[in-house]
Structure formats: structure tokens, C-alpha cells
């Protein structure tokens, strides 16, 4: 299928090139979990890391062999992922990875702005010394790995992605609503899939260090309005970069 501006080409089941460094998220995949849960976490994480391409065919037998889990738990995991929108179930034709589209990143950004800005506002209002210390620690950890990676595409490094997630999660940590907090991180993970995929196809990479430092400073000063404005721009910059990359990919040009 030809690459279109609103979607990406399908592929048969062959994992995309592996990214560097396995992150601490792999600790979620240990053998003491039920088989269906292990299969779900393995496949979901592989999709989020773009190890499977958008619209790629997911064959139960191949996944069973790859993750060393029997076919029934794999089918259960794929059905669960289908309900969550990460996988598409095709009548009598199995499963495919959900596409990445311009309309999809626009919709995701709209919801992220609603949910994440409210979560940050609430977290700041309930902030305490321990919360501030967690943010500073997460920001320092993120900055250190950025120094080590230098000019590499940081988004393609699993450890950077985990520390990036940890930083943003720290800023939301004092949100008083568990449901809102869970929604924030689910949306963040969905956006990370777009970030990773577009980064594979960009020649120039976005440098986020200064954005995170400015956001941290504003949050620690408890400047709610400025912090919300900075977060909105941070999220919208992701949408702009991803949209530009998808458009240029659709046109057959390298994204800059």
C-alpha cells in the first residue's frame, strides 16, 4: 500500500531495527506475571518502541515464537491491545499494528492539552518539598544522559526515553486524581510512539534540554500560568515536528 499523507505504509511481520539500550521498563516484563499479561506487556512495549511498524501484520505464531509464549495468551493480548487502540483486528485476517497518522497526532495532541495541563495545574497546587526534590532529581538524571549521548537522536535511546518519561511523570506526581494521573501517562506513551517513529525519519533532531530546564524552573517557582503555557508549547512542538515528518515521508522526502 502506498504511503499517504494521512497514513503510513503497511509491512509484513518483521521487527524494525532495534533501538539502543534496553530501558528500566523491561523490569515490567518479568516471568512472574501471568502469561497473558506478559504477552500484553511485551507486545505493547514493542509497539510503543516502534519495533513493529505502523499497519504491520502481527502473526500470532511469529509473536509466540519471538516472546516464547503460547498462542492463546498472545491472542488474548492482541484482543486487549485492539480494545485500547494499539492494534487493529481485521475480520478473518488477524491483527495489524494501528497506523500513525496526521489526524491521529492532531487528536492526541488535543486530548493531551486538556488532560496534561489540568494534571500539572493540580500537581502544582498540591506540591510539597518531596515533590520538588523528585522533579529536580529526574531533571538531573535526564540532563546527564543527554550529555552522554551528545549529538545522537536521544528519542531513539530507550534509557533517555525512560528518563524523559520519569521527568514528566514527576511533574504530575502530586496530582490528586489517580484517574487523571493514569490518563496522563497513557497519553504520554501514545505520543512517545509518534515521537520515536518520526525521529527515525528526521535528519535534524529536536533538542529538548532547554525546554525541560525552563519548565522545571517555572514549576518550582509555582508559576501556574507560565508552567501551563510552557507545557502547551512543549506538547504542540511535538505535534508540529511529527506532522512535518509524516508529511515529508508521505511525499517521499527526508524530514529535516
Amino acid at each position: 500500500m502506498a504511503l499517504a499523507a494521512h497514513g503510513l505504509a503497511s509491512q509484513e511481520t518483521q521487527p524494525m531495527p532495534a533501538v539502543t539500550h534496553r530501558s528500566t521498563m523491561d523490569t515490567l516484563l518479568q516471568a512472574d506475571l501471568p502469561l497473558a499479561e506478559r504477552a500484553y506487556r511485551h507486545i505493547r512495549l514493542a509497539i510503543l518502541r516502534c519495533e513493529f511498524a505502523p499497519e504491520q501484520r502481527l502473526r500470532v505464531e511469529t509473536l509466540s515464537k519471538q516472546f516464547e509464549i503460547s498462542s492463546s495468551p498472545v491472542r488474548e493480548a492482541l484482543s486487549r491491545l485492539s480494545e485500547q487502540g494499539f492494534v487493529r483486528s481485521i475480520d478473518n485476517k488477524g491483527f495489524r499494528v494501528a497506523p500513525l497518522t496526521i489526524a491521529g497526532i492532531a487528536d492526541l495532541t488535543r486530548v493531551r492539552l486538556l488532560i496534561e495541563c489540568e494534571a500539572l495545574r493540580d500537581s502544582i497546587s498540591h506540591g510539597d518539598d518531596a515533590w520538588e526534590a523528585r522533579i529536580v532529581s529526574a531533571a538531573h538524571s535526564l540532563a546527564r544522559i543527554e550529555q552522554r549521548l551528545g549529538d545522537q537522536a536521544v528519542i531513539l535511546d530507550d534509557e533517555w526515553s525512560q528518563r524523559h518519561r520519569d521527568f514528566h511523570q514527576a511533574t504530575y506526581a502530586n496530582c490528586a486524581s489517580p484517574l487523571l494521573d493514569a490518563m496522563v501517562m497513557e497519553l504520554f506513551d501514545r505520543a512517545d510512539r509518534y515521537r520515536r517513529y518520526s525521529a527515525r525519519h528526521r535528519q535534524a533532531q529536536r533538542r529538548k534540554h532547554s525546554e525541560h530546564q525552563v519548565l522545571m524552573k517555572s514549576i518550582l517557582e509555582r508559576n501556574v500560568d507560565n508552567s501551563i503555557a510552557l507545557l502547551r508549547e512543549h506538547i504542540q512542538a511535538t505535534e508540529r515536528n511529527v506532522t512535518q515528518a509524516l508529511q515529508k515521508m508521505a511525499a517521499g522526502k527526508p524530514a529535516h
Side-chain angles (χ1 to χ4, degrees), residues 55 112 115 141:
E55 297 193 79
R112 286 188 71 198
I115 298 299
S141 179

Side-chain angles (χ1 to χ4, degrees), residues 52-93:
F52 298 124
E55 297 193 79
Q56 180 175 326
R57 179 82 175 271
L58 295 173
R59 299 181 184 277
V60 172
E61 297 79 6
T62 305
L63 295 172
S64 296
K65 186 178 297 184
Q66 179 178 345
F67 298 122
E68 300 181 339
I69 300 173
S70 58
S71 59
S72 293
V74 169
R75 287 193 185 92
E76 183 178 336
L78 289 171
S79 295
R80 182 176 170 190
L81 288 163
S82 179
E83 293 172 358
Q84 295 176 345
F86 290 106
V87 168
R88 283 187 172 180
S89 176
I90 312 299
D91 291 342
N92 300 318
K93 295 182 180 179

Side-chain angles (χ1 to χ4, degrees), residues 18 33 59 71 99 110 144 170 172 180 184 207 225 233 235:
L33 295 169
R59 299 181 184 277
S71 59
R110 178 186 178 190
R144 289 300 298 271
Y172 303 128
L180 193 60
V184 162
R207 299 302 176 193
D225 290 342
E233 173 55 28
I235 292 172

Side-chain angles (χ1 to χ4, degrees), residues 44 47 67 127 140:
R44 182 180 184 275
I47 291 172
F67 298 122
H140 176 72

